[in-house]
Amino acid sequence: MSVFPKETIKNIGESLGVTNLKDEVATALAQDVEYRVHELIQEAAKFMRHSKRTKLSVDDVNAALRVKNVEPLYGYSCGEPPKFKKTTLNSTDIYFDEDEEVDFDTVLNKPLPKIPLDVTFTAHWLAIEGVQPAIPQNPTPSDAKAELLTKRSKQHISSNGITTDQVNVKPLVKHVLSKELQMYFERITEAVLSEDERLQSQAFESLRLDPGLHQLLPYFVQHIHKKVTQNHKNLDVLEAMLSMAHSLLNNKHLFVEPYLHQLIPPILSCLVGRVICENPQQQNHWSTRNRAAVLISTICHQYGKAYHTLQPRITKTLLRAFLDPARPLTTHYGAIVGLDKIGPEVTRVLVAPNIKFYSENCLKLALNSSNPLRVQEAIKCKEALLDLLEHITEHESSSSDEDRMDQDESLASEQDKQRFLNSIGELVGETFLQKEQRESRVNTINELFN
């Protein structure tokens, strides 16, 4: 039952020329009118609360109407509230706003009011080729001179006779953080690099779940970039920064997209950096590179659809690092693992056709080297390429039909194996065939070179 009786709807309809309105239609219209009025009052109440007022005004209602794309009411202002009078018609109380009679000649002879100024925005030049134009919006030379005198008054001579200038440089954009957020940022950055694993895990969990980190997000991203740049040979710091980036990327309450261009370079540095630890023979920097590859893959898969150039640019960077013989093997390993984590759609097109060239020009020389560290790096690159080929074959076999799955038990023929070695190269191909000789898997790689 609506607060608006159907008789009211019928009267309004008759005033608009709609006669013989059915009771069902009038009832439905009354319910819809009640819903629209409730919705309008709710929107108007929001404007009232944001204006720090407790009394609803006409401007609040007009603002709510504009939000709903409805033409505002005319003839009402925020002056004195209208005074309604009561009358009785057919035993029904009716309230109406009494219209005051106005003399038409008086209105015509009355001077017109001034047109109110609307809110406008203007643009002006701060400087043109280094010269500040003399316009009212810019400070005058006298103001600049007064500011210069103020700066000079701040100069002081120290005890050793050296003059220093104590001038406070203001930032371009003023970003005010509350004391609570500043304390939180300091505590988190200290806990992330702490030796206490429990404290570290709590910090990472807070970064991953806390919904109120929007203001601190650019500072955390800048902190990651700074720490990776300053500690590019400290494996513990790099691991902590990767964990920090992982927590921020997995926080569903944060909008990370505007900061991806600042977050990706430090992760790529951990992935394809020449040296990321002090002692490569004893420290396991390979797991750090694998973790960075997983983060790069996460970024590509989460934000690649919204930013179409993101994955191609990362792929191009990694492929260039992989195919450059002048780069160290550690960089080659990071590029191979990164491309592998992005997906088999990338590796089957970009990496697999270049394995033979890479193994003959880079791996073969490194495996025969007298330097044990270089041999270890070459073995790691070879293992990464074998894993990459295995992932390609697994992806193709999982997407094939059941008939092809039934043929997995049959072994590849000598002709297929020789064709495989000619395509991949003997160095990597022979090792792969020692572990995998099923015909479907071998032919999966052979079909890439058709």
Side-chain angles (χ1 to χ4, degrees), residues 73-347:
L73 298 175
Y74 299 103
Y76 297 93
S77 62
C78 289
E80 291 294 327
K83 297 179 180 179
F84 292 93
K85 290 190 174 182
K86 177 182 177 183
T87 185
T88 303
L89 180 64
N90 297 331
S91 68
T92 303
D93 293 336
I94 297 178
Y95 296 87
F96 65 97
D97 185 11
E98 186 177 9
D99 294 333
E100 182 182 357
E101 293 184 0
V102 180
D103 187 8
F104 197 63
D105 293 334
T106 305
V107 174
L108 290 178
N109 295 329
K110 189 176 181 181
L112 295 175
K114 292 183 179 180
I115 301 176
L117 297 178
D118 198 3
V119 178
T120 58
F121 298 92
T122 59
H124 67 90
W125 289 100
L126 294 175
I128 302 175
E129 295 183 355
V131 179
Q132 178 178 282
I135 56 177
Q137 289 83 356
N138 288 333
T140 60
S142 60
D143 295 336
K145 186 177 180 180
E147 185 179 358
L148 182 61
L149 292 175
T150 305
K151 289 183 179 180
R152 287 180 178 177
S153 65
K154 293 183 179 180
Q155 291 183 353
H156 72 282
I157 300 176
S158 60
S159 58
N160 57 5
I162 300 176
T163 302
T164 58
D165 192 2
Q166 301 292 329
V167 178
N168 295 325
V169 179
K170 294 183 179 180
L172 296 178
V173 179
K174 189 175 182 181
H175 192 189
V176 181
L177 289 176
S178 63
K179 291 184 179 180
E180 292 80 6
L181 286 178
Q182 294 179 20
M183 291 178 59
Y184 178 85
F185 178 78
E186 294 174 359
R187 296 287 177 86
I188 288 294
T189 52
E190 291 175 0
V192 162
L193 299 177
S194 173
E195 296 181 356
D196 188 353
E197 294 183 358
R198 179 173 172 272
L199 188 61
Q200 261 191 340
S201 62
Q202 289 178 350
F204 294 141
E205 185 178 2
S206 177
L207 290 174
R208 184 170 52 88
L209 301 176
D210 200 322
L213 302 181
H214 303 280
Q215 287 185 296
L216 289 176
L217 180 58
Y219 296 96
F220 282 130
V221 173
Q222 187 179 11
H223 179 74
I224 293 172
H225 193 282
K226 179 181 177 181
K227 287 297 181 181
V228 171
T229 304
Q230 295 177 350
N231 303 273
H232 61 279
K233 290 187 178 181
N234 192 331
L235 197 62
D236 294 333
V237 175
L238 297 183
E239 279 281 353
M241 293 303 104
L242 289 178
S243 299
M244 194 172 178
H246 178 267
S247 299
L248 293 175
L249 288 171
N250 286 275
N251 192 327
K252 299 179 181 179
H253 307 283
L254 295 180
F255 186 59
V256 189
E257 284 89 334
Y259 308 101
L260 288 177
H261 68 286
Q262 298 178 5
L263 194 59
I264 292 176
I267 299 177
L268 285 177
S269 299
C270 298
L271 178 61
V272 296
R274 180 185 294 268
V275 179
I276 61 172
C277 61
E278 293 290 345
N279 194 345
Q281 287 184 327
Q282 297 181 358
Q283 292 179 290
N284 185 15
H285 63 95
W286 309 105
S287 62
T288 304
R289 297 180 189 273
N290 292 337
R291 190 173 186 187
V294 172
L295 281 180
I296 289 294
S297 172
T298 301
I299 292 174
C300 291
H301 294 157
Q302 282 188 0
Y303 308 104
K305 293 182 179 180
Y307 302 94
H308 302 291
T309 61
L310 178 63
Q311 180 170 324
R313 289 170 63 186
I314 294 177
T315 303
K316 185 178 180 181
T317 302
L318 296 178
L319 184 63
R320 190 181 302 168
F322 168 60
L323 296 178
D324 188 358
R327 299 286 184 92
L329 292 174
T330 51
T331 299
H332 293 165
Y333 175 85
I336 295 170
V337 175
L339 291 170
D340 187 20
K341 295 296 182 182
I342 292 177
E345 295 84 0
V346 174
T347 54

Side-chain angles (χ1 to χ4, degrees), residues 2-6 9 24-36:
S2 174
V3 296
F4 297 98
K6 59 183 179 181
I9 303 299
E24 296 82 2
V25 176
T27 303
L29 284 174
Q31 293 175 355
D32 185 69
V33 169
E34 181 182 359
Y35 169 76
R36 301 296 177 186

